[in-house]
């Protein structure tokens, strides 16, 4: 994002984040605990409901306002991963839900009374090949009975609702592989212990991600979003917003690292002069800035297309790839610039280094973005 856009939002987010300094995140990181207080403060300040239309109690702002929020959170050394999905997962209900579902859920998501920040797509055997998911919802009377397994489902323990993608028609019985999948809203408060088991996965970053096991979980038919069998399309619709927002987190991370690197390079004196006087130290930081600025323009461009209602799949993918690579390059330089201190927990750099690495894998890995560009944009043959 252009650092100048939405100045009031940026200022307010920076102020809020100042109340959650490195010590706060370090303690959570050590114990792998959820930033409840941070999320509560962001929710009460209204920052997680910026995308919900005013008629449902949100601020009704465009995607670029949401990117400004997430970028500033990450630039401040905080992490939006614990709650960013509360911003955009509701888009599935907003775009494809019934009037009744919108009335029932959106106002309460806007206030934070309901947390809809779990998004269940990935499965252990299907991997990126989503059409091969096998979690199955069988219609029995006025409810579905769900059986199967999901993996890497983040924030499931901290969410009241989950958007779940499952098969309602087996892949081999569907007209096309992308058909026969449906989206269900799972009420986690009722489901856990009644057919849903959540098992946390400890990872290299504090991300509250989990494995889910469905064993005859009953979901009322009224919780089906849109039409049965069209769920894959609904999920794809939400992915552009997600990719652009994640890209803005990378831009924030990149700015965090560049701020830290350039400040340290100015201040740290070795051999009687600032280390930043050495071009071997200065140029990598300058290069990071050049790369990150270009990636930020790509994020701006994708967000502008999204807000204008234009197709933006390729642009959202490219922005995510460029931003995640730029933040990772800046993270690497930041460690190098700090020498030994880059590894010390109290500098927060090693924590942010671990955190920003995720974005080249999730929510979509770089190879799959390159495959999209190679085949959809450049017309080369598909490998799968
Ligand atoms: C911390 C974390 C949080 C997550 N949160 C969620 C969540 O909340 N909800 C959710 O649904 N998912 C979530 N995910 C899952 C994430 O979206 C996937 O991990 C990611 O999309 C990659 O899929 P995979 O792990 O199955 O890798 P695989 O599909 O097994 O791929 C492994 C590697 O092979 C490469 N590869 C595979 N096929 C090809 C090919 N044809 N050509 C070239 N390269 C290929 C991939 O790029 C990747 O690098 C999360 C993951 C993590 C790690």
């Amino acid at each position: 994002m252009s650092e100048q856009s939405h100045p009031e939002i940026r200022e307010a987010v920076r102020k809020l984040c100042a109340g959650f300094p490195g010590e706060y995140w370090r303690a959570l990181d050590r114990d792998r605990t959820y930033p409840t207080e941070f999320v509560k403060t962001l929710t009460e300040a209204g920052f997680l409901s910026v995308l919900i239309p005013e008629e449902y109690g949100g601020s009704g702002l465009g995607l670029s306002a949401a990117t400004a929020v997430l970028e500033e959170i990450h630039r401040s050394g905080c992490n939006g991963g614990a709650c960013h999905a509360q911003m955009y997962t509701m888009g599935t209900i907003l775009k494809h839900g019934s009037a009744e579902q919108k009335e029932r859920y959106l106002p309460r998501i806007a206030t934070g009374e309901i947390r809809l920040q779990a998004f269940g797509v990935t499965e252990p055997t299907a991997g990126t090949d989503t059409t091969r998911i096998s979690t199955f919802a069988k219609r029995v009377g006025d409810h579905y009975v769900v059986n199967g397994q999901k993996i890497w489902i983040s924030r499931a323990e901290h969410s009241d609702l989950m958007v779940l993608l499952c098969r309602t028609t087996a892949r081999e019985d569907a007209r096309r592989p992308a058909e026969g999948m449906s989206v269900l809203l799972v009420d986690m408060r009722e489901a856990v212990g009644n057919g849903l088991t959540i098992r946390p996965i400890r990872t290299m970053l504090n991300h509250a991600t989990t494995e889910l096991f469905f064993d005859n979980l009953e979901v009322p038919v009224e919780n089906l979003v849109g039409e049965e069998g069209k769920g894959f399309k609904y999920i794809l619709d939400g992915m552009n917003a997600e990719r652009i927002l994640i890209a803005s987190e990378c831009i924030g991370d990149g700015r965090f690292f560049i701020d830290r690197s350039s400040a340290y390079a100015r201040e740290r004196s070795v051999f009687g002069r600032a280390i930043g006087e050495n071009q071997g130290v200065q140029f990598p930081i300058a290069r990071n800035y050049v790369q990150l600025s270009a990636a930020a323009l790509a994020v701006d461009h994708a967000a502008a297309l999204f807000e204008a209602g234009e197709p933006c799949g390729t642009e959202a993918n490219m922005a995510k790839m460029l931003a995640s690579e730029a933040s990772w390059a800046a993270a690497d330089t930041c460690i190098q610039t700090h020498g030994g201190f880059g590894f010390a927990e109290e500098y927060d750099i090693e924590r942010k280094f671990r955190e920003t690495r995720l974005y080249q894998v999730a929510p979509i890995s770089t190879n799959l973005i390159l495959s999209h560009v190679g085949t959809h944009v450049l017309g080369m043959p598909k490998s799968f």
Side-chain angles (χ1 to χ4, degrees):
M1 266 322 278
S2 146
E3 290 173 86
Q4 274 80 48
S5 73
H6 304 287
E8 299 85 11
I9 291 181
R10 286 172 186 275
E11 181 56 31
V13 173
R14 275 199 288 267
K15 252 195 198 144
L16 185 155
C17 289
F20 296 90
E23 299 91 284
Y24 173 79
W25 296 98
R26 262 173 260 146
L28 297 172
D29 185 64
R30 240 170 257 139
D31 303 336
R32 294 292 190 273
T33 38
Y34 190 75
T36 305
E37 199 53 40
F38 176 69
V39 175
K40 185 167 171 272
T41 310
L42 269 182
T43 306
E44 286 168 359
F47 289 122
L48 299 183
S49 58
V50 289
L51 295 174
I52 299 180
E54 282 175 298
E55 59 175 309
Y56 297 113
S59 337
L61 297 173
L63 197 70
S64 69
T67 64
V69 171
L70 293 174
E71 184 189 321
E72 290 304 325
I73 288 174
H74 280 247
R75 186 177 193 167
S76 303
C78 301
N79 193 306
C83 52
H84 54 204
Q86 177 80 357
M87 276 181 165
Y88 58 79
T89 312
M90 65 82 208
T92 309
I93 300 180
L94 182 64
K95 202 155 174 206
H96 306 288
S98 64
E100 198 271 327
Q101 286 169 337
K102 288 183 212 180
E103 283 299 332
R104 186 158 161 210
Y105 295 120
L106 294 179
R108 291 196 285 158
I109 294 170
T111 60
E113 187 193 332
I114 291 183
R115 296 164 304 168
L116 168 53
Q117 49 182 8
F119 183 66
V121 174
T122 310
E123 295 190 7
T125 49
T128 311
D129 190 358
T130 306
T131 68
R132 301 223 177 247
I133 63 166
S134 56
T135 295
F136 200 90
K138 185 174 182 327
R139 174 107 189 229
V140 181
D142 60 357
H143 56 264
Y144 289 98
V145 178
V146 182
N147 281 288
Q149 189 183 344
K150 295 277 171 186
I151 194 167
W152 306 121
I153 309 310
S154 303
R155 302 161 296 271
E157 297 165 294
H158 305 280
S159 205
D160 303 304
L161 288 179
M162 170 170 62
V163 162
L164 176 71
L165 184 71
C166 47
R167 281 225 161 257
T168 39
T169 304
R171 191 177 193 268
E172 52 280 14
D173 297 332
R175 271 188 307 163
R176 293 188 303 128
E179 291 182 12
M181 285 175 270
S182 302
V183 169
L184 298 180
L185 282 174
V186 175
D187 191 324
M188 307 295 271
R189 298 159 297 186
E190 291 170 3
V192 174
N194 290 309
L196 173 63
T197 305
I198 306 179
R199 194 180 293 162
I201 308 175
R202 195 176 162 96
T203 59
M204 71 185 249
L205 74 165
N206 184 17
H207 199 78
T209 198
T210 69
E211 231 176 330
L212 305 181
F213 299 89
F214 302 90
D215 181 13
N216 290 325
L217 172 72
E218 293 189 4
V219 178
V221 167
E222 68 199 38
N223 285 21
L224 173 74
V225 178
E227 275 181 63
E228 195 180 278
K230 300 258 170 76
F232 188 56
K233 188 187 158 299
Y234 303 158
I235 293 295
L236 288 182
D237 271 357
M239 284 181 169
N240 290 337
E242 180 182 48
R243 281 169 204 179
I244 295 167
L245 291 171
I246 298 292
S248 70
E249 295 190 340
C250 298
I251 299 297
D253 280 347
R255 295 201 197 286
F256 167 90
F257 291 120
I258 292 168
D259 290 346
R260 291 294 184 95
S261 298
S262 51
Y264 194 75
R266 283 192 300 270
E267 288 154 17
R268 170 76 168 163
S269 179
V270 181
F271 294 111
R273 60 182 183 178
I275 57 168
E277 272 183 46
N278 305 298
Q279 292 175 334
V281 174
Q282 185 186 104
F283 284 6
I285 305 170
R287 179 179 293 277
N288 293 152
Y289 183 78
V290 173
Q291 286 176 341
L292 196 85
S293 301
L297 288 175
V299 179
D300 277 354
H301 178 55
L305 289 174
F306 184 94
E307 284 187 0
E310 301 281 334
C312 62
T314 298
E315 289 76 8
N317 269 316
M318 294 197 302
K320 205 285 275 183
M321 175 177 144
L322 290 169
S324 63
E325 292 186 347
S327 71
W328 178 240
D332 192 41
T333 304
C334 197
I335 295 255
Q336 200 67 19
T337 305
H338 283 76
F341 290 111
F343 296 83
E345 273 187 7
E346 67 178 289
Y347 278 69
D348 293 310
I349 294 164
E350 60 83 34
R351 171 177 60 84
K352 293 290 279 180
F353 179 88
R354 287 183 278 116
E355 289 174 358
T356 213
R357 183 62 181 83
L358 173 66
Y359 297 131
Q360 288 173 79
V361 171
I364 176 88
S365 60
T366 303
N367 272 1
L368 271 291
I369 293 177
L370 292 172
S371 162
H372 170 91
V373 173
T375 57
H376 286 84
V377 181
L378 302 176
M380 291 187 279
K382 213 169 172 182
S383 68
F384 51 88

